[in-house]
Amino acid sequence: MVSQTIDLLKNELPLEQELVVLPEDVVTGLVLVDIINGFCTVGAGNLAPREPNRQISGTISESVRLARLFCDKKLPVMAFLDSHHPDKPEDPYPPHCIQGTDESNLVPALQWIQNETNVTIRRKDCYDGYLGSMEADGSNVFADWVKNNHIEAILVVGVCTDICVLDFVCSTLSVRNRGFLAPLKDVIVYSRACATFDVPLHIATNTKGALPHPQELMHHIGLYMAKERGAKIANEVLFGALK
């Protein structure tokens, strides 16, 4: 039934993805959204996968590959890490990624980026990395990162496709459209390095407070809505000129 629904959705809401070539003469920044233990490492917390998941594993592998490529080129990288105060719940979700716990830390395969000089780490206490970058004085760490590094395009990867990734992309596009994020022009979401969680209907029905969240369906919807807002959706990313 779920697979039939997904096929129907994809027919009604077709998502055209593209090969995106990142020009060597344009500064592109890599944004890693919540690729942390609490969302990606099996058994690490209330919102972590209960068993190995192909979509999440693929996201980690592709994100590590891209991070190494960006670091080798000394291009700017920003990593958002979900980190919540224990007294400030994020309804409707159960407690997760509490500050100071390993849940809120990068997955083991990405922890090396913390020692890279081109990487900025930002811990956030909300879904949206743009809002989570706001400081008490009204400045914004993400906006400053874009401006100070003269970033014209960002490549966004991470979890969850339809929640934190989508919220960040939508806010970023809105701020860009208002002219507050110059010189940023392009927001690119790389579908093969994004993932979301899976709560089948039969699990949600028997879990108090849970909502069904079929992984493939919500992944597609998240990407579609990002494209609808103005993001480019890539299924392949290369550096340099097409031959």
Side-chain angles (χ1 to χ4, degrees):
M1 181 64 180
V2 173
S3 61
Q4 293 175 345
T5 302
I6 293 172
D7 290 341
L8 176 62
L9 175 77
K10 289 182 177 180
N11 287 331
E12 293 295 320
L13 300 176
L15 177 65
E16 183 177 345
Q17 302 189 48
E18 58 186 294
L19 163 65
V20 171
V21 178
L22 306 175
E24 297 282 2
D25 59 348
V26 171
V27 179
T28 300
L30 176 66
V31 179
L32 306 166
V33 179
D34 291 343
I35 309 177
I36 58 177
N37 291 314
F39 296 142
C40 299
T41 300
V42 174
N46 288 326
L47 297 185
R50 296 289 180 256
E51 57 188 24
N53 182 276
R54 178 184 55 81
Q55 193 181 87
I56 293 174
S57 297
T59 291
I60 294 172
S61 297
E62 282 297 293
S63 298
V64 170
R65 181 183 69 82
L66 287 169
R68 293 221 178 261
L69 188 58
F70 273 70
C71 287
D72 286 346
K73 293 178 177 290
K74 299 301 179 184
L75 287 168
V77 176
M78 175 168 275
F80 289 119
L81 312 184
D82 209 43
S83 301
H84 295 282
H85 191 281
D87 296 329
K88 294 181 179 179
E90 190 174 50
D91 294 330
Y93 299 102
H96 62 279
C97 305
I98 302 300
Q99 295 172 5
T101 69
D102 202 40
E103 280 188 59
S104 67
N105 291 332
L106 287 161
V107 296
L110 273 172
Q111 288 182 4
W112 60 272
I113 70 171
Q114 297 171 120
N115 300 317
E116 297 293 321
T117 57
N118 61 308
V119 176
T120 300
I121 303 291
R122 176 67 180 184
R123 293 189 178 273
K124 62 181 179 67
D125 60 356
C126 61
Y127 309 119
D128 184 338
Y130 186 87
L131 292 179
S133 293
M134 294 297 296
E135 298 283 39
D137 63 2
S139 63
N140 187 287
V141 173
F142 169 73
D144 290 344
W145 176 76
V146 168
K147 294 171 185 176
N148 293 339
N149 289 288
H150 310 288
I151 295 171
E152 295 186 41
I154 57 170
L155 180 63
V156 185
V157 301
V159 297
C160 293
T161 317
D162 55 316
I163 306 174
C164 294
V165 171
L166 179 62
D167 282 9
F168 166 72
V169 166
C170 289
S171 290
T172 298
L173 288 166
S174 292
V175 177
R176 180 207 66 180
N177 290 347
R178 293 207 63 202
F180 298 145
L181 267 181
L184 184 68
K185 297 176 183 176
D186 293 325
V187 176
I188 306 155
V189 180
Y190 178 34
S191 63
R192 291 171 55 203
C194 289
T196 192
F197 61 94
D198 190 35
V199 180
L201 176 61
H202 71 277
I203 298 293
T205 302
N206 296 298
T207 304
K208 184 178 179 180
L211 293 173
H213 193 277
Q215 186 179 51
E216 289 295 332
L217 182 64
M218 299 310 295
H219 178 67
H220 180 86
I221 289 174
L223 294 172
Y224 185 89
M225 292 183 70
K227 186 177 180 70
E228 191 177 46
R229 297 298 193 277
K232 294 182 178 181
I233 309 299
N235 55 10
E236 186 175 358
V237 177
L238 300 173
F239 272 99
L242 280 171
K243 296 181 179 180

